Amino acid sequence: MKKKICVIGAGVIGISTARLLQETLPSCDVTIIAEKFSPHTTGDVSAGVWKPHALGDTPVELQSKWSGNTFEHLLKVCMGSEASLAGIQLLSGYLLFQDYTEDPSWSNQMLRFCHMTPRELAQFPGYRHGWFIITIKVECRRYLPWMLNKFKSMGGAVLQRKIHSFEEISADYDIIVNCSGLGSYELAKDKTMQPIRGQVIRVRAPWITTMGCDDATKAGREPYVFPGMDCVVLGGTHDYGDWNTEPDPTDTKRIWEGCCKLFPSLKHAEILEVNVGHRPGRPSVRLEKEIVTSGGKAIKIVHNYGHGGGGVTLHWGCAQEAVQMVKEWVEPCVTSRL
């Protein structure tokens, strides 16, 4: 009899995990259950740039493993025939600092990472140090539907509903994979979860083709400019514990002024949208197995949530590890011999 697996959540973490489950365990039936789908997920608001940040106390070695595996996966898609459908592109530009800053642990994972030259720094008054990088940008408004369509085409089932407890679906599935993000505050009763509010402005400015990010500004108020396929994303905010879902005019004004300081020509851009999303903040990513007993029944759960601002950056690497945990339950004899 086929094992039945349920993935809760249809953000970038949930859909990527479901897709990889299909590929790795074709003998299993996989279902995605979520209250919200694209374009109503956190990822749809995000700029979608591969760049580790807001990952709390997640061990650096795990960050490097997950982010590196994700970069290689995205790069393969980016250089393939479906890059435009998936919304994946290379993105180059500058990360700016007011003082010298040590190279990050992830510097060797990008296609290119180098220190800015004096001539480059001169284009951004007020900054004395910076990095030039070539990274990857993911348009989640394309990427999530693209992955979901592939999931459906391979026989995956999709249900739209809110799950209030693992017990309510435990009779229908052999294994549950919890990718509910901020929803785990209630679903997994994880009170360490908190929103990290992010507000961005999307503008039409096709002449902006280079990214610029002030990584020196403190208190989650760094201006950044990330050009993409359909628009340019201006940000941003990192407001911990803020559940407000409405755009804040004060934030909008500060973002606009800060980004126009980086690229003055943005003052001629057409504002398309102002968006707010909540990153699933947690002291560290939770990626582990758990068996919960309810009514005499053992509920097998793999948790994969709490990625903060690193959902896009970590998703495929975390999905690989989550799938391996599921595989240990589905094929215990085979896995134990490997």
Side-chain angles (χ1 to χ4, degrees):
M1 179 182 293
K2 280 190 172 185
K3 294 286 187 182
K4 299 178 69 176
I5 303 170
C6 172
V7 176
I8 302 175
V12 68
I13 300 296
I15 297 181
S16 60
T17 301
R19 282 275 294 118
L20 201 52
L21 280 168
Q22 280 185 322
E23 294 178 5
T24 308
L25 299 170
S27 62
C28 296
D29 285 332
V30 184
T31 299
I32 295 174
I33 302 180
E35 180 183 12
K36 295 180 180 180
F37 290 81
S38 181
H40 305 296
T41 74
T42 298
D44 294 293
V45 175
S46 73
V49 175
W50 187 99
K51 177 179 174 289
H53 70 291
L55 295 174
D57 298 325
T58 303
V60 173
E61 60 271 19
L62 290 179
Q63 293 187 38
S64 297
K65 174 186 175 182
W66 298 334
S67 62
N69 289 345
T70 300
F71 192 93
E72 293 307 313
H73 166 73
L74 291 174
L75 184 61
K76 182 179 179 180
V77 179
C78 181
M79 302 309 294
S81 61
E82 295 193 50
S84 62
L85 300 176
I88 300 176
Q89 65 183 111
L90 294 178
L91 178 65
S92 62
Y94 302 102
L95 304 183
L96 303 157
F97 303 90
Q98 294 171 0
D99 296 294
Y100 178 81
T101 301
E102 292 288 339
D103 293 353
S105 61
W106 40 265
S107 61
N108 63 348
Q109 294 179 329
M110 295 182 167
L111 283 182
R112 183 169 175 78
F113 178 97
C114 62
H115 290 191
M116 291 172 64
T117 66
R119 185 179 182 187
E120 287 174 313
L121 281 169
Q123 310 310 310
F124 300 95
Y127 299 98
R128 294 189 290 272
H129 184 67
W131 308 325
F132 176 82
I133 66 172
I134 300 178
T135 185
I136 292 175
K137 187 176 188 304
V138 178
E139 303 284 356
C140 282
R141 296 181 183 189
R142 296 190 186 202
Y143 187 53
L144 297 184
W146 178 75
M147 284 200 297
L148 189 62
N149 286 336
K150 286 187 174 295
F151 175 77
K152 291 178 179 178
S153 70
M154 291 177 64
V158 175
L159 299 175
Q160 185 166 15
R161 59 180 275 206
K162 182 173 181 177
I163 302 299
H164 297 88
S165 69
F166 299 122
E167 287 79 7
E168 71 180 78
I169 58 171
S170 61
D172 300 319
Y173 300 97
D174 299 291
I175 299 170
I176 298 171
V177 185
N178 174 28
C179 302
S180 62
L182 195 55
S184 287
Y185 181 87
E186 295 181 353
L187 182 61
K189 298 179 175 57
D190 187 344
K191 302 311 178 184
T192 68
M193 291 294 298
Q194 66 171 325
I196 308 174
R197 182 181 178 276
Q199 180 170 317
V200 299
I201 306 172
R202 282 178 160 79
V203 304
R204 180 174 288 113
W207 61 90
I208 300 292
T209 58
T210 301
M211 65 169 276
C213 180
D214 177 351
D215 264 23
T217 303
K218 304 300 182 183
R221 291 290 184 268
E222 70 278 8
Y224 57 73
V225 177
F226 293 136
M229 292 182 179
D230 305 311
C231 64
V232 179
V233 180
L234 314 181
T237 65
H238 288 76
D239 298 326
Y240 288 80
D242 188 342
W243 290 91
N244 180 25
T245 59
E246 296 299 319
D248 184 325
T250 301
D251 286 337
T252 301
K253 182 176 184 294
R254 178 188 49 77
I255 291 169
W256 181 258
E257 292 176 351
C259 292
C260 285
K261 184 177 179 182
L262 288 177
F263 295 99
S265 67
L266 279 170
K267 67 181 181 180
H268 301 295
E270 175 190 357
I271 295 179
L272 303 174
E273 304 173 9
V274 180
N275 309 118
V276 174
H278 290 124
R279 307 172 185 92
R282 193 175 186 275
S284 62
V285 173
R286 187 181 186 190
L287 186 46
E288 63 182 2
K289 293 192 290 186
E290 180 183 28
I291 297 179
V292 176
T293 302
S294 176
K297 175 181 171 60
I299 306 173
K300 295 179 178 179
I301 305 169
V302 172
H303 295 286
N304 183 13
Y305 68 87
H307 298 79
V312 166
T313 301
L314 302 179
H315 72 281
W316 200 257
C318 286
Q320 290 174 324
E321 195 148 325
V323 169
Q324 180 59 30
M325 292 177 184
V326 172
K327 189 175 181 180
E328 290 168 2
W329 272 330
V330 173
E331 302 174 351
C333 296
V334 176
T335 302
S336 64
R337 292 199 298 267
L338 295 178

